[in-house]
Amino acid sequence: MIYKAPSKDIRFALNELAELPAICTLPGYEDCSVELTDAILEEGAKFAENVLAPINQQGDKGAKWSPDFTVTAAEGFKEAWQQYVEAGWVGLRAPAEFGGQGLPALVALAAEEMWCSANLAFSLAPMLTLGAIEAINHHASDELKNIYLPRMSTGEWTGTMNLTEPQAGSDLAQVRSRAIPVGDGSYKISGQKIFITWGEHDMADNIVHLVLARLPDAPAGVKGISLFIVPKFLVHADGSLGARNDVRCVSIEHKLGIHGSPTAVMSFGDDGGAIGYLVGEANKGLAYMFTMMNHARLGVGIEGMAVSERAYQKAVEYARDRVQSRAVGSPDPAGVAIIRHPDVRRMLMTMKAQIEAQRALAFYAAAALDRAARDPVASEAARSQELVNFLIPIVKGWNTEQANEITSLAMQIHGGMGYIEETGVAQYCRDARITAIYEGTTGIQALDLIGRKTAAEDGVTARWLLEEVKVTAGKLAAAGYASLAANLEAAVKDAERCVSFILETFGSRPQLAAAGSVPFLKLMGIVLGGWMMGRAALIARAQQGDEDADAEFLAAKIVTARFYGEHLLPQTAGLAAAIVHGGDSVLELDEALF
Amino acid sequence: MIYKAPSKDIRFALNELAELPAICTLPGYEDCSVELTDAILEEGAKFAENVLAPINQQGDKGAKWSPDFTVTAAEGFKEAWQQYVEAGWVGLRAPAEFGGQGLPALVALAAEEMWCSANLAFSLAPMLTLGAIEAINHHASDELKNIYLPRMSTGEWTGTMNLTEPQAGSDLAQVRSRAIPVGDGSYKISGQKIFITWGEHDMADNIVHLVLARLPDAPAGVKGISLFIVPKFLVHADGSLGARNDVRCVSIEHKLGIHGSPTAVMSFGDDGGAIGYLVGEANKGLAYMFTMMNHARLGVGIEGMAVSERAYQKAVEYARDRVQSRAVGSPDPAGVAIIRHPDVRRMLMTMKAQIEAQRALAFYAAAALDRAARDPVASEAARSQELVNFLIPIVKGWNTEQANEITSLAMQIHGGMGYIEETGVAQYCRDARITAIYEGTTGIQALDLIGRKTAAEDGVTARWLLEEVKVTAGKLAAAGYASLAANLEAAVKDAERCVSFILETFGSRPQLAAAGSVPFLKLMGIVLGGWMMGRAALIARAQQGDEDADAEFLAAKIVTARFYGEHLLPQTAGLAAAIVHGGDSVLELDEALF
C-alpha cells in the first residue's frame, strides 16, 4: 500500500497558486522561504511515505480499550509517534516562543496533507494537539501557557477538544458539564463528553484536555460556556507530572473508519471532580473555540482531499496493473490494462482534477489565513480575514463531500477486489466518510456560508471572488483556452444568480435560502475550484517556455484544467436551478408524509 | 432498527405505474390478480418486518468459515431460512411444474424488494437460487431438471453461480476451469472460483453450483465456455443425497459489507475432480448466462433501491426524534427536531424522490420482462424485449450508483452518530456499496447501454422511450404542472443530444462514445426516472377525485414529483455537456502522467 507524496503538485499549488514567496515576506515569516519549505516537505514526504503510510492499514485494526480505562494505540503507532516527536513535526506551526517553529499555516498544512494521506487516523493526534495549543496560546494566562505549551509543542503531551455531549452534538447551547470553583483558582469539573478524538491513549506522557463546561452562575445557552484545561495527570509548577486527575475514558467507539484514532467517551469527575483551570475569562468558551475553528475546519478540508489523493494513487496503480477485457473498439481480443478503458480514465481524471482543485483552494485559503494574521496593512489583513471566513466552509464542505465521491470512485475502479478489505481501498472510503461530518457537518458549513459569510456581509466577498474568477476567465479566453473560459464564465453566471437569490431570500424567507444552502456550497466549491484550475492552466502555459520547464507536468496541468472545465463546471447549471427554483418543494411536504 | 414495508408505495408502483392488472391478463398469469398480489405482499411484508429485518444487524457480524471447509451462517439465518422455505417464498417466480408458483416477475420482484430492504445479505441466497433455477429450467435436460428443480424451488437446496476466477473478473474469456468427460455422461471439474455468493453454508441440505468451465477441445475465449451443474452432495436418481462431491470452500472473504452473505473461494477437484453435469450444449455457457443476466441485473437494481429505502426510513426516524438547534430564522432558541431543518428535508426529499423513481422504473422494466416472455402478439413481445434490454443496464447502474449517494445521505442526517456502527446506518452504506460492482460494474452496464442497447439498434428504443417521455411532459403541461413539464422537456432535449452523439461516434470513435458512457447511463436514469415521476403525478391527480382516495398520499406523490423535477432533472444539463464535449479530455492525458 504505497504512498508517494505528490511533491510536484504540492509545490505547484504552494508556490504558484498560493504564492508562498509572498507569504514569506510577511512579518514574522521572514525566516521561511521556498527553499526551506522544499527541504521541510522533502523530509516530511519521507516520513509520511516510510513511517506513517506503512502502518495505516494495520492501524485499521484499531486501538484497544481496557477495563482499567486505558487505551492502547494501534500497532506501531506509539513508535511512530515517538519518531514524529523526535523529528519535531508537531511544532511546525506551534508558536516559536514555546519551542515550535512558528511557520506559516500554508507550509504546515502542506505537510499535514502528507500526514493525512499517509495515515489519517494518526494525523488526528497532532491535528488536535495543535488546535489545543492554538486555544491555549491565544486565550490562557502566561502561567498556563508556560506550563502546558512547551511540552505540547514538542508532542511530548497531546491535546484534545472536549465539546460534544450526548444531547449536545452541533448545538453547544445544550452543554451540561459543570465546573465548580475550588477556591484556589482551580475548578472541579464533572460531566460526560463523547466523540473525543484521541481522548485516551498510551503514546504520550500526558494528555491535555480542553473542556467546555458551565460555571454555577453561568447564563443559559452558549453565553454560559467556559473553557478549561483538564490534564490527564496534574502538573507541578516545575512541569513534572503529579497525580492522576479524576478523568477517565469509559469506552471507545466502534466506528465505520479511522479505527486507528480512538474516539473516546470521557467521564470527568466520577470521584469528586477533575481538577481544571479556566482558560481566559469565564463564559467565553464558545468564542475561544471559534478562534480555532477556521484552522480546524481548513484542516478537515485538507483531510478530505488528502485521503482522496491516497485513494487516487491506489486506483492509478491498480488501473495500470489490472489487465481485463479488450480495448473498446479494438479488434484485438487481448486484454489491456484497465487504465486504457475510457470509463476508467474518466474516473481517474474526475479524481485527479478535483483533488488538484481542492488542494489549490485549500492552500489559497491557508495563505489568506497567514495574510489575515500577519499582513502589516490592517485593511489588507481584514480583507484576507473576510476571504478566510468565506472560503473555510467551502473548503471544509466541498473537499469532504467530494472525498466521499472520489474514494468511492477509487473503489469502483478496483471492481470486486475493491470490496475486499485486504485490498485497502475500502479503508480510504471508510476513513474519508467522517470528514463531511465532524467539525460541523456539511449542512452546518453551508448555513454558515449563506448566513454569516454571505448574507451578513451583503455578498461583498462572494462577489469580489466571482469578479476575480471572471478576470481569470478573460485571461483564459485571451490565451486561447476557449472551452475552459466559456465553462468558467457560464459557471460564474450561475454562481451570481445564486448569490443574488441568497441575498434576496435570507432575510425574508430564511428557510428558502437554507433549502439551497448545501447545493450553494457545492456550486461555490466547483466554481472556485475551476478558478484555481484556470489559474493553474495560465501559469503552466506561461512556464512552458522556461528553460528548465517540466513540459509533461505543465501539459498535464492544462489537460486536467480542461477536463475540469468540461466535466465539473457544467454541474453548476443543475445546482443553480435547484437553489433558485427548488426551495419550495424542499419545504412543502407535510412532516408526517415522509 | 425497524423496517416497515412501504406497502402503499409498492402497490402504487405495481398497479398504476407498472400496470399489474394488464400483466395478469397475459397467458399463464391469469391466476394472478391485484388481490392475490396484495395478499402475497401483505404476508411478505410481515415476513420481512418480523423475521428478516430483526436479524439484519446481527448478520453484519458475519458468517464463520472453519478449517474443515464448512461455513456457519450468521446468527439466526438458518432458522430464518427454514421459515422462509416453509412459507414457500423461494418459489414465487419458480416454475409451477417444479413446485413453484410461477408468478409474474413483477410480483416476485416486489416481494424481493422487501427481502432486500429487510436483510440484503440474506436475500442473496434466494436471489442466487432463483438464478440457478432459471438457468437449469431454460437450458438443462429434463433429467437434470427433474432431479434439481423440485428441491431448489422449495429452497431445500440453494443454488450458486461460479463464474469469476482471479484472472477473470468481468472478462469471462479468461476462464480457465476445466471439465473432463468421464465417459458416463458426467464430467470431472477442476479449478478455482472466487466471489461465490453463498458458495458454502449450513442453511440447506445441498448446494447446487452452476460452474463455467472449459472442455478439453473447447475453443479459446468466450466461445469455449460450458455450463455445469456441480452439486455439493451428489444426488441419487430418487433425489436422495449421496456422497460429498470434490468441491470445497477454502475461505470466505473479509468484505466491506453484506457480511451475512458468505462470499466463498471455491476449489473444485482438489481430490481428482468434482463430478459435474453439462447443462445444455457444450460451449454455450456464456449464452446461457446471458439468459439469466437481465433478471439478475434487474434484481441488483432492486437491491440498490431497497437498501436505499431502508436507509431512508432510518433517516426519517432519526430526523423526527433528534432535537438539535433552533429552527432556521426562528427567534425561539429552543431546539427543534432536525426534520424541520431545511437541509435535512432536502436530503430526505432527495432520497425519497429518487427511491420512488427507481422503484417505478425497476417495476416498469419487470413488467416489460413479463410481457416479453408472455405477450401472445409476437411483435409486442419483441418490442417488450427490446425495452427490457435497454432498461436493464439503466436500472442496474443508476439505482445502484444512487444507492451509494442515498445511503450516504442517510448517514449524513445522523451526524456523528451515523459514523458509529451500533447506530446501524453505516451497515446500509457498506451493504449497498457492492451493488454498483457485482453483476457487472456500472462501467460495464454503461458500455452495454451505448453499444448493444443503443448503437446496435440505431437508437430505436432510446428514441421511442424519449418520445414517450415527451408525451408525458405534454400531459403534465396540460394538467398545469408547468415546472415539472418544463424540466422534463429540457431533460429530454439533453438526452436526445446525447443519443445522437452516441450514434454518431460509436462507430467512428468508440473510445469517445465510451468516455461518456457512464454519464449517459446516469442521464438516462434521471430522465426515465423523471418520466415515471411525471406519470405518477398525473395518475395521482386523476385519482384525487376518487371517493376512497388517500388524499395525503396522492398529494405527496405530486410534491415529490415536483421536487424531482426541480432538483434531479436539471442535472442532465451538466451530464450532457460532459458527454458531448468532454470525451477528448478524458482520453488525452498520457498514461504515465496520472
Side-chain angles (χ1 to χ4, degrees):
Chain A
M1 223 71 69
I2 288 166
Y3 165 67
K4 188 90 184 64
S7 302
K8 278 191 206 176
D9 281 311
I10 289 177
R11 282 211 303 268
F12 186 84
L14 266 186
N15 299 338
E16 310 303 334
L17 296 170
E19 299 176 345
L20 175 62
I23 299 300
C24 295
T25 66
L26 295 172
Y29 292 153
E30 299 93 340
D31 291 346
C32 189
S33 67
V34 169
E35 294 68 35
L36 176 70
T37 302
D38 277 353
I40 289 169
L41 295 182
E42 196 178 324
E43 283 307 303
K46 286 184 203 160
F47 196 88
E49 292 166 2
N50 302 329
V51 179
L52 299 184
I55 60 170
N56 186 49
Q57 199 172 14
Q58 71 200 42
D60 195 40
K61 291 182 188 153
K64 296 275 176 300
W65 180 87
S66 297
D68 62 353
F69 308 116
T70 62
V71 172
T72 308
E75 188 189 344
F77 274 43
K78 185 173 181 176
E79 297 72 18
W81 181 258
Q82 197 57 44
Q83 290 178 260
Y84 191 85
V85 166
E86 280 164 15
W89 290 118
V90 180
L92 280 192
R93 62 175 161 100
E97 60 269 46
F98 296 107
Q101 296 183 53
L103 287 166
L106 180 56
V107 174
L109 283 167
E112 284 168 30
E113 176 193 325
M114 300 190 289
W115 318 145
C116 295
S117 285
N119 195 322
L120 182 63
F122 181 95
S123 77
L124 302 182
M127 197 83 89
L128 269 288
T129 302
L130 282 160
I133 289 172
E134 201 181 347
I136 294 171
N137 191 42
H138 276 92
H139 304 296
S141 65
D142 286 342
E143 189 188 348
L144 288 172
K145 285 191 208 178
N146 285 322
I147 292 175
Y148 291 98
L149 292 187
R151 305 292 173 92
M152 294 176 76
S153 297
T154 58
E156 287 166 276
W157 301 349
T158 62
T160 73
M161 300 289 166
N162 286 247
L163 284 66
T164 305
E165 299 175 10
Q167 78 291 350
S170 308
D171 187 2
L172 293 173
Q174 308 304 322
V175 159
R176 290 186 196 146
S177 292
R178 316 290 314 175
I180 314 287
V182 173
D184 62 354
S186 71
Y187 296 79
K188 291 225 165 182
I189 313 289
S190 59
Q192 196 179 69
K193 296 286 183 176
I194 62 169
F195 296 162
I196 310 308
T197 299
W198 285 99
E200 177 58 44
H201 61 84
D202 61 345
M203 301 199 306
D205 295 336
N206 203 3
I207 300 174
V208 181
H209 301 291
L210 287 183
V211 182
L212 289 184
R214 290 183 186 281
L215 290 165
D217 55 351
V222 293
K223 289 177 182 162
I225 301 172
S226 304
L227 182 65
F228 297 88
I229 289 176
V230 184
K232 175 179 172 184
F233 288 99
L234 299 176
V235 183
H236 297 303
D238 65 355
S240 63
L241 296 184
R244 185 73 163 78
N245 205 350
D246 182 14
V247 46
R248 55 182 65 98
C249 168
V250 293
S251 66
I252 62 174
E253 304 288 357
H254 176 216
K255 308 187 297 294
L256 176 64
I258 52 166
H259 294 155
S261 165
T263 301
V265 177
M266 300 299 298
S267 190
F268 294 86
D270 286 356
D271 286 339
I275 304 295
Y277 309 95
L278 182 65
V279 174
E281 294 175 39
N283 299 331
K284 296 211 168 164
L286 201 74
Y288 297 163
M289 282 290 135
F290 270 98
T291 319
M292 295 178 297
M293 203 171 274
N294 274 333
H295 216 126
R297 290 180 169 181
L298 179 54
V300 176
I302 301 260
E303 290 174 20
M305 176 268 290
V307 181
S308 295
E309 165 72 33
R310 182 83 186 264
Y312 167 73
Q313 292 190 14
K314 180 145 185 64
V316 170
E317 184 192 359
Y318 187 80
R320 287 203 176 109
D321 288 350
R322 174 73 169 174
V323 172
Q324 196 82 172
S325 299
R326 73 174 69 193
V328 171
S330 167
D332 182 352
V336 296
I338 63 171
I339 197 169
R340 298 186 60 190
H341 295 319
D343 187 57
V344 172
R345 291 184 71 98
R346 184 192 61 81
M347 290 192 271
L348 291 174
M349 287 299 296
T350 303
M351 300 165 82
K352 178 178 168 63
Q354 290 186 94
I355 291 165
E356 290 186 16
Q358 291 171 353
R359 177 183 292 117
L361 195 62
F363 286 7
Y364 184 85
L369 203 59
D370 286 323
R371 290 178 195 274
R374 301 290 176 106
D375 199 304
V377 182
S379 60
E380 284 296 307
R383 200 186 61 96
S384 290
Q385 187 62 51
E386 281 156 15
L387 203 53
V388 167
N389 293 344
F390 188 81
L391 291 175
I392 292 294
I394 296 170
V395 171
K396 199 287 183 183
W398 181 56
N399 283 16
T400 61
E401 288 286 327
Q402 295 316 106
N404 293 329
E405 180 184 306
I406 295 168
T407 55
S408 184
L409 286 173
M411 178 179 292
Q412 193 69 18
I413 288 171
H414 283 77
M417 288 306 298
Y419 203 64
I420 306 300
E421 284 287 0
E422 284 76 2
T423 304
V425 69
Q427 183 185 354
Y428 305 143
C429 297
R430 292 187 287 98
D431 285 357
R433 188 64 189 87
I434 190 61
T435 61
I437 295 174
Y438 64 16
E439 270 309 312
T441 60
T442 310
I444 286 170
Q445 305 301 325
L447 272 186
D448 182 46
L449 178 66
I450 63 163
R452 280 184 291 270
K453 310 301 173 63
T454 302
E457 57 156 35
D458 207 25
V460 171
T461 305
R463 285 179 167 150
W464 179 86
L465 276 165
L466 295 175
E467 288 302 318
E468 290 290 308
V469 183
K470 281 195 254 186
V471 170
T472 297
K475 288 181 186 168
L476 287 163
Y481 297 132
S483 132
L484 181 53
N487 284 316
L488 203 48
E489 272 161 19
V492 169
K493 284 212 181 73
D494 288 329
E496 286 174 335
R497 279 169 71 205
C498 294
V499 170
S500 297
F501 173 81
I502 301 283
L503 296 177
E504 283 158 21
T505 54
F506 189 81
S508 57
R509 291 199 61 195
Q511 298 257 336
L512 201 67
S517 59
V518 167
F520 178 65
L521 182 151
K522 289 187 183 172
L523 182 149
M524 289 303 298
I526 292 168
V527 173
L528 297 176
W531 177 36
M532 293 292 140
M533 297 304 274
R535 291 181 60 220
L538 290 168
I539 292 164
R541 185 170 190 270
Q543 291 186 346
Q544 278 179 324
D546 294 357
E547 207 174 319
D548 58 348
D550 185 340
E552 289 192 324
F553 175 79
L554 298 174
K557 282 270 167 278
I558 294 167
V559 175
T560 308
R562 204 177 104 220
F563 176 92
Y564 189 100
E566 290 169 358
H567 289 255
L568 282 312
L569 284 173
Q571 294 178 2
T572 58
L575 291 165
I579 294 162
V580 174
H581 302 298
D584 283 318
S585 65
V586 168
L587 302 173
E588 189 171 334
L589 196 68
D590 191 283
E591 265 170 46
L593 296 177
F594 278 98
Chain B
M1 223 73 69
I2 290 167
Y3 165 67
K4 189 90 183 61
S7 302
K8 279 191 205 175
D9 281 310
I10 289 177
R11 283 210 303 268
F12 186 84
L14 267 186
N15 298 340
E16 310 302 334
L17 296 170
E19 299 175 345
L20 176 61
I23 298 301
C24 295
T25 66
L26 294 172
Y29 292 154
E30 299 93 341
D31 290 346
C32 189
S33 66
V34 169
E35 293 67 34
L36 176 69
T37 302
D38 277 353
I40 289 170
L41 294 183
E42 195 179 324
E43 284 307 304
K46 285 184 203 158
F47 196 88
E49 293 166 1
N50 302 330
V51 179
L52 299 183
I55 60 171
N56 185 49
Q57 198 172 14
Q58 72 201 43
D60 195 41
K61 290 182 188 154
K64 297 274 178 299
W65 180 87
S66 297
D68 63 353
F69 308 116
T70 61
V71 171
T72 309
E75 188 188 345
F77 274 43
K78 187 174 180 173
E79 295 74 17
W81 182 257
Q82 196 58 41
Q83 290 178 260
Y84 191 85
V85 167
E86 281 165 14
W89 290 118
V90 180
L92 281 192
R93 60 175 162 103
E97 59 268 47
F98 297 106
Q101 298 184 51
L103 287 165
L106 179 56
V107 174
L109 283 167
E112 285 169 28
E113 176 193 324
M114 299 190 289
W115 318 146
C116 294
S117 284
N119 196 323
L120 182 63
F122 181 94
S123 77
L124 301 181
M127 197 83 89
L128 268 290
T129 302
L130 283 159
I133 290 171
E134 200 181 349
I136 293 170
N137 192 41
H138 276 92
H139 304 296
S141 64
D142 286 342
E143 188 188 348
L144 288 171
K145 285 191 209 178
N146 285 322
I147 293 175
Y148 291 98
L149 292 187
R151 305 292 172 95
M152 293 175 78
S153 298
T154 58
E156 286 166 275
W157 301 349
T158 63
T160 74
M161 300 289 166
N162 286 247
L163 284 67
T164 305
E165 300 176 8
Q167 78 291 348
S170 308
D171 187 3
L172 293 174
Q174 308 303 321
V175 160
R176 289 186 197 145
S177 291
R178 316 289 314 174
I180 313 287
V182 173
D184 63 352
S186 72
Y187 296 80
K188 291 224 165 182
I189 313 289
S190 59
Q192 196 178 69
K193 295 285 183 178
I194 62 170
F195 297 161
I196 309 309
T197 299
W198 285 99
E200 177 57 44
H201 61 83
D202 61 345
M203 300 199 307
D205 294 336
N206 203 3
I207 301 174
V208 181
H209 301 291
L210 288 182
V211 182
L212 290 184
R214 288 182 187 284
L215 290 164
D217 54 353
V222 294
K223 289 176 181 162
I225 301 172
S226 302
L227 182 65
F228 297 88
I229 288 176
V230 183
K232 176 179 171 183
F233 288 99
L234 299 176
V235 183
H236 297 302
D238 65 355
S240 64
L241 296 184
R244 185 72 163 79
N245 206 350
D246 182 13
V247 46
R248 54 181 65 98
C249 169
V250 294
S251 66
I252 62 174
E253 304 289 357
H254 175 216
K255 307 186 297 295
L256 176 65
I258 50 167
H259 294 155
S261 165
T263 301
V265 177
M266 300 300 297
S267 190
F268 294 86
D270 287 355
D271 286 339
I275 303 296
Y277 309 95
L278 182 65
V279 174
E281 294 176 39
N283 300 329
K284 295 211 168 163
L286 202 72
Y288 297 163
M289 282 290 135
F290 271 98
T291 319
M292 293 179 297
M293 204 172 272
N294 275 334
H295 216 126
R297 289 181 170 180
L298 179 54
V300 176
I302 301 257
E303 290 175 19
M305 176 269 289
V307 181
S308 296
E309 166 70 34
R310 181 84 186 262
Y312 167 73
Q313 291 190 15
K314 180 146 185 63
V316 170
E317 184 191 359
Y318 188 81
R320 287 203 177 110
D321 287 350
R322 175 72 169 174
V323 172
Q324 196 83 171
S325 300
R326 72 174 71 194
V328 170
S330 166
D332 183 352
V336 296
I338 64 170
I339 198 170
R340 299 186 59 188
H341 295 319
D343 188 56
V344 172
R345 290 184 72 98
R346 184 191 61 82
M347 291 192 272
L348 290 174
M349 287 299 296
T350 304
M351 300 165 81
K352 177 178 170 63
Q354 291 185 94
I355 291 165
E356 291 185 15
Q358 291 171 353
R359 177 182 293 115
L361 194 62
F363 286 8
Y364 184 86
L369 203 60
D370 285 324
R371 290 178 194 274
R374 302 288 176 107
D375 199 304
V377 182
S379 62
E380 283 298 306
R383 200 186 62 95
S384 289
Q385 186 62 51
E386 281 157 14
L387 202 54
V388 168
N389 293 344
F390 188 81
L391 291 174
I392 292 293
I394 297 170
V395 171
K396 199 286 184 184
W398 181 55
N399 283 16
T400 61
E401 288 285 327
Q402 295 317 106
N404 293 329
E405 181 184 306
I406 294 168
T407 55
S408 184
L409 286 174
M411 178 178 293
Q412 193 68 19
I413 287 171
H414 284 77
M417 287 308 297
Y419 203 65
I420 306 299
E421 284 286 0
E422 284 77 2
T423 305
V425 68
Q427 182 185 353
Y428 306 143
C429 297
R430 292 187 287 96
D431 285 357
R433 187 65 189 85
I434 190 60
T435 61
I437 295 174
Y438 64 15
E439 269 310 310
T441 61
T442 310
I444 286 170
Q445 305 301 327
L447 273 187
D448 181 46
L449 179 66
I450 64 163
R452 280 186 292 271
K453 310 301 173 62
T454 303
E457 57 155 38
D458 207 24
V460 171
T461 305
R463 284 177 169 152
W464 179 85
L465 276 164
L466 295 175
E467 289 303 318
E468 290 290 307
V469 183
K470 280 194 256 186
V471 170
T472 298
K475 288 181 187 167
L476 287 164
Y481 297 132
S483 132
L484 180 52
N487 284 315
L488 202 48
E489 272 162 18
V492 169
K493 284 215 180 72
D494 288 329
E496 287 175 333
R497 281 169 71 205
C498 294
V499 169
S500 297
F501 173 81
I502 301 282
L503 295 178
E504 282 158 21
T505 54
F506 190 80
S508 56
R509 292 199 61 194
Q511 297 258 335
L512 202 68
S517 59
V518 167
F520 178 66
L521 181 152
K522 288 188 184 173
L523 182 150
M524 290 303 298
I526 292 168
V527 173
L528 297 177
W531 177 36
M532 292 294 140
M533 297 305 274
R535 291 180 61 220
L538 290 169
I539 292 165
R541 185 170 191 271
Q543 292 186 344
Q544 277 179 324
D546 293 358
E547 207 174 318
D548 57 348
D550 183 341
E552 289 193 324
F553 176 78
L554 297 174
K557 282 271 167 277
I558 293 168
V559 175
T560 308
R562 203 177 105 220
F563 177 91
Y564 189 100
E566 290 170 356
H567 289 256
L568 282 311
L569 283 173
Q571 294 178 3
T572 59
L575 291 165
I579 294 162
V580 174
H581 302 298
D584 283 319
S585 64
V586 168
L587 302 173
E588 189 171 333
L589 196 68
D590 191 283
E591 265 170 47
L593 296 176
F594 278 98

